[in-house]
Structures are given as structure tokens and as C-alpha cells.
Amino acid sequence: MYSSDTIIGGVTSPVKNGPIDSFVWPDEGLQAIPDWVYTSDAVYAREVERIFHGRTWNFVALEAEVPNPGDYKRSYVGPTPVVVARADDGTIHVFENRCAHRGAEFCRNSRGNNKEFVCPYHQWSYDLKGNLQGIPFKRGVNKLGGMPKDFRNENHGLRKLAVACRNGVVFASFAQDMESLASYLTPEILKDFDVVFPGKKLRILGFYKNELPCNWKMYHENLKDPYHATLLHSFLVVFGLLVAGNRSAMVADSKYGIHGTMASAKSDSLYATVDEDKKKEMRSFHDGMTLSDERFLEFVKEFDSEWSVTMQTIWPNLIVQREMNTLGVRHIVPNGPNSMIMLWTMFGYEDDTEDMVRHRLRQGNLMGPSGFLGLEDNEAMKFVQEGVRRSVSDRSIVRLDGDKIGTADNLISEAAIRAMYKHYREVMGF
């Protein structure tokens, strides 16, 4: 990737990547976003320290990914590699994927089952809770070398994170005194989170992984921006999944303003009914767009919810998707200011019939890196990152719905984005 002050197309803006003390938020306040929040290495480093390594609960796994004692999964908290492991007593533990000896990333497989973890460099070994259990030649050879007599294994285990689980979803935090997960998620978010995760056992259906050439915060913005959903996505508006005029909501949590739920109720009609005035506003609407296989958009009403679609953003690294009957979580892994990795896990429920499994998989083509919806978002965010990184302008405007901050009663609003940046500014000290 190019650095944020590389000359491309004859322009550069070094100020976007200057020292962090030189950054001043625009006078427009929450109605403007400065380009440097997306491009600065110094800002990114502070985000890792204060957000991902700070007082947040970060998604790391679904319990269904580590169902048995000895099961483990490589994961991330921000850019930091961690291991999620289920110990012999059934408890789940999260610890840094970094040997306490010389720093090697000891867990190299994406998932598996182990009795212990052994660092490939010097074979220091750790149990499934991250405790140091063995050191080769700890007392030296022939009474020469080895560790000093006061060395204690119990003082040199892996760095352990606080762990919280809710209905099969595992979160971790570097802050050992974090508030409860329920308090952090807030009642507004738990209302729809618990619809997807009601306590039923989950069935993993598959995985995707892709890199997006954009800043990690843009993905949060994208899913707090119902305005774009009514304009960018032909599939959404033609088939009525999220279209101006539908019963919809953009809910932000009232405690922090960082979590959100974009929701919509699809009509019983396969195709959206849109009046001519709205069609003129939505260039992505195509009257001739039809489905060869109409099973693709069948909606089995299996949830205790008024919504057929909910997309939840849980700060700082989780998206919970419920697009009719396709279910998934998306795990954001920041990769510097100009890139992010997205880890997708698609799932259903253990008691699903085989017909329902096939239905979820069929409908899952909406999602993923090349899905009918995901591909358009990925491209749009790439265009935004290129714009803020290469131009000599210095801010973007977020003025839809005026000064409102938080929950919006309409789709033509950026109130949830402003709520996110209100909290972001406080945590980051801007």
C-alpha cells in the first residue's frame, strides 16, 4: 500500500500524516470529519492504544468455533494476534499470540485442537489457559547456564485478556476491570443482538476473508449510513430489502453512541413498489432487474422481530448481519490507516433442517467479499480512501439531518455517524 503522503497523480498532502499534536478538528464540529482520521499513522497508533487496547469489548470468536476442550482459534483484538482456546474444564480463555520469551507468534494454524501450545523457536510450552508450563533446559546443562534460581513459571505466562460471553459470542478486552458486557452493549443493541443470538447452539457454515483498501472506521460509517443503502445498492432497492419508504430505523445506543442497528422491514412483495418521484432520486433502481430463481429472496419468518433485515455495528470490531435468513458476523482487523482485513463467519442454528441450511447458504450470496451487496460497499469505500488520501482538501461533510446526534427516525440521516465521532473525539482527545 502507498503511504498516506505518497505523491500519486501529482498531488500530495503531508499535513494529513503530520505529528498528532498538530491535528485540530474542523470548526464545523461533528458536521465535518477531517481527512487525517483516515490517513495518519500517528492517529492510527493512538486508536490501537486507546480504542482496541483500551476500555472496549472486542469480538474474538463464536463459541461454536471452539466447541470442545483443546479447540482453539487464531483471532485478533485490533491488529494484535490472540488465541481463543477452550480449556479442559470447558472455560474459554483469550491470550496474546506472542511467546513470553522472545516474542514469536507461536500459534500458526487458523484453528485446531491442542493439548498445549509450543513455541517453534525455543519450545517454551503453555497450557490452554496461557500459563507457562515448560522451558527446555530450564536448569541448564551440567550445572551450567539455564534460568536463574528465582525464575518462576507462574510469573511468565502469556498476556491474558478479560473474557465475556453472551449466548455463544465471545468478547475479550485488554482492560481487566471492564464493565459488564451487557452494560457495554446497552439495551438498545441487545434487543436485536439477542434476536440473532437467543442462546440456541450455532452451526458454522463457512468463512470468508478479504482485504479492503480503506480505513477501518469507514466500515462502521457505512453501516451507520442508511442514506447510501437507498442509493448505492441496486439489489436492496429493487427487491425492497432497504428502500426509502419502507418501515426502517437507524438506532444508535444512547449511552455511548458507538454501536448501531440499521433495520428494515421488507414487504411481502418480492419486488419493491417505488413511486416515480423516488425512482428519479435513486439512479440504482432498475425496473427490468429480475430473479431467475425467486427462492433466493424467500423470507422464513423465524425471528421474534419486526424487522426482516438488521445490520448491527458493535464498537470497535464487530458487525452482526441478519439479512432475512442469512446470518453472519464480520470481524474488523485494522491493518494500518489505509487498510483493513475483514474476517467473515457465516452460521445458522444447530437445529436447522437441511433445507434451511441450503436456504441460508443460497441467500448468503448477498454477502461476502463478492456478494451482491458487499462488492459495491467495498468498491465505494476504496474510492473514499483514495479521495481522502490523495487530495489536497482536508475534510468531509456530514450534515444530513442537521444537528441530530444518535438515533434517526428516517433513512436520509447521518446522525448515527455524528454520534460515533462524538465518542471517538472524547476517547482520542481531539
Side-chain angles (χ1 to χ4, degrees):
M1 300 299 297
Y2 293 100
S3 68
S4 56
D5 59 353
T6 299
I7 296 176
I8 305 174
V11 298
T12 184
S13 185
V15 69
K16 296 180 184 181
N17 207 21
I20 198 165
D21 292 340
S22 68
F23 294 140
V24 178
W25 202 273
D27 292 338
E28 297 95 325
L30 294 175
Q31 292 189 340
I33 303 173
D35 288 359
W36 43 260
V37 303
Y38 307 114
T39 61
S40 165
D41 291 314
V43 169
Y44 173 74
R46 184 178 285 189
E47 289 172 348
V48 173
E49 174 193 358
R50 296 192 179 185
I51 297 174
F52 294 100
H53 292 176
R55 300 194 62 76
T56 55
W57 282 113
N58 291 257
F59 169 80
V60 289
L62 297 175
E63 285 198 51
E65 297 180 88
V66 288
N68 303 308
D71 287 348
Y72 69 87
K73 171 194 172 182
R74 287 181 69 192
S75 190
Y76 297 86
V77 172
T80 303
V82 299
V83 177
V84 183
R86 191 179 288 274
D88 291 335
D89 61 4
T91 56
I92 293 178
H93 300 264
V94 180
F95 37 83
E96 271 195 328
N97 191 357
R98 181 187 191 277
C99 181
H101 178 214
R102 299 291 298 279
E105 192 174 317
F106 58 85
C107 181
R108 305 302 303 170
N109 296 322
S110 296
R111 50 186 51 83
N113 185 280
N114 276 346
K115 294 185 180 300
E116 63 180 358
F117 294 99
V118 180
C119 178
Y121 197 1
H122 301 96
Q123 285 80 59
W124 284 34
S125 62
Y126 304 90
D127 67 18
L128 296 166
K129 296 182 178 182
N131 300 309
L132 178 62
Q133 59 182 12
I135 299 175
F137 302 114
K138 181 178 179 180
R139 297 307 175 200
V141 177
N142 297 328
K143 298 183 179 180
L144 298 174
M147 286 294 183
K149 291 183 178 180
D150 62 355
F151 183 90
R152 297 289 181 268
N153 285 11
E154 58 269 25
N155 297 331
H156 296 277
L158 304 171
R159 181 166 183 177
K160 302 174 185 178
L161 281 66
V163 177
C165 301
R166 185 177 181 91
N167 296 347
V169 188
V170 185
F171 295 82
S173 179
F174 277 94
Q176 294 297 322
D177 59 345
M178 268 298 290
E179 66 182 300
S180 72
L181 180 61
S183 174
Y184 179 75
L185 293 180
T186 75
E188 295 99 331
I189 300 304
L190 287 176
K191 179 181 178 181
D192 288 292
F193 183 90
D194 288 346
V195 168
V196 178
F197 302 108
K200 296 169 63 174
K201 288 189 176 181
L202 305 182
R203 177 176 179 176
I204 304 299
L205 299 182
F207 306 95
Y208 301 110
K209 178 181 179 181
N210 69 303
E211 180 180 6
L212 285 76
C214 69
N215 186 272
W216 67 274
K217 296 185 295 299
M218 287 185 186
Y219 217 96
H220 280 275
E221 292 178 27
N222 179 266
L223 291 171
K224 297 177 187 296
D225 171 19
Y227 179 54
H228 94 276
T230 64
L231 300 170
L232 175 67
H233 298 298
S234 293
F235 207 98
L236 283 182
V237 296
V238 171
F239 298 106
L241 300 183
L242 187 65
V243 61
N246 274 20
R247 188 159 50 89
S248 307
M250 181 65 246
V251 178
D253 77 90
S254 59
K255 185 175 184 179
Y256 299 111
I258 48 179
H259 315 306
T261 303
M262 187 191 300
S264 180
K266 177 175 168 50
S267 69
D268 292 333
S269 173
L270 178 62
Y271 298 96
T273 302
V274 181
D275 62 47
E276 292 303 318
D277 288 339
K278 290 189 178 71
K279 286 181 184 179
K280 292 175 183 177
E281 298 281 354
M282 298 185 297
R283 300 188 184 191
S284 59
F285 190 94
H286 301 290
D287 277 311
M289 192 176 189
T290 60
L291 289 171
S292 297
D293 184 350
E294 294 186 347
R295 294 178 304 167
F296 188 78
L297 284 183
E298 289 178 356
F299 177 41
V300 179
K301 295 183 179 180
E302 59 177 325
F303 304 106
D304 182 16
S305 171
E306 62 183 303
W307 309 116
S308 55
V309 173
T310 58
M311 301 294 292
Q312 285 200 312
T313 48
I314 295 177
W315 186 263
N317 74 338
L318 175 62
I319 290 91
V320 180
Q321 68 173 58
R322 175 169 70 88
E323 194 84 25
M324 295 188 297
N325 299 110
T326 185
L327 304 172
V329 290
R330 310 177 196 176
H331 181 178
I332 294 172
V333 181
N335 187 35
N338 299 298
S339 171
M340 58 168 278
I341 306 297
M342 183 67 81
L343 305 175
W344 308 64
T345 304
M346 310 300 289
F347 63 90
Y349 303 112
E350 194 175 74
D351 61 1
D352 284 347
T353 66
E354 287 307 306
D355 284 345
M356 176 57 87
V357 171
R358 297 307 306 170
H359 176 55
R360 294 198 202 280
L361 290 171
R362 183 187 305 116
Q363 211 167 73
N365 287 294
L366 284 165
M367 301 302 172
S370 298
F372 293 125
L373 303 177
L375 188 64
E376 294 166 339
D377 283 327
N378 295 350
E379 184 178 52
M381 286 183 278
K382 173 180 183 290
F383 294 162
V384 175
Q385 190 70 26
E386 288 176 345
V388 299
R389 183 163 57 89
R390 298 178 181 184
S391 78
V392 294
S393 299
D394 63 357
R395 70 195 66 185
S396 301
I397 302 301
V398 282
R399 298 192 63 181
L400 285 173
D401 218 10
D403 293 322
K404 290 183 182 177
I405 298 174
T407 295
D409 57 4
N410 69 92
L411 297 182
I412 316 303
S413 178
E414 292 165 327
I417 296 175
R418 288 190 288 273
M420 183 184 93
Y421 278 106
K422 182 177 185 293
H423 178 84
Y424 175 87
R425 288 177 60 182
E426 293 169 358
V427 171
M428 292 288 288
F430 294 135

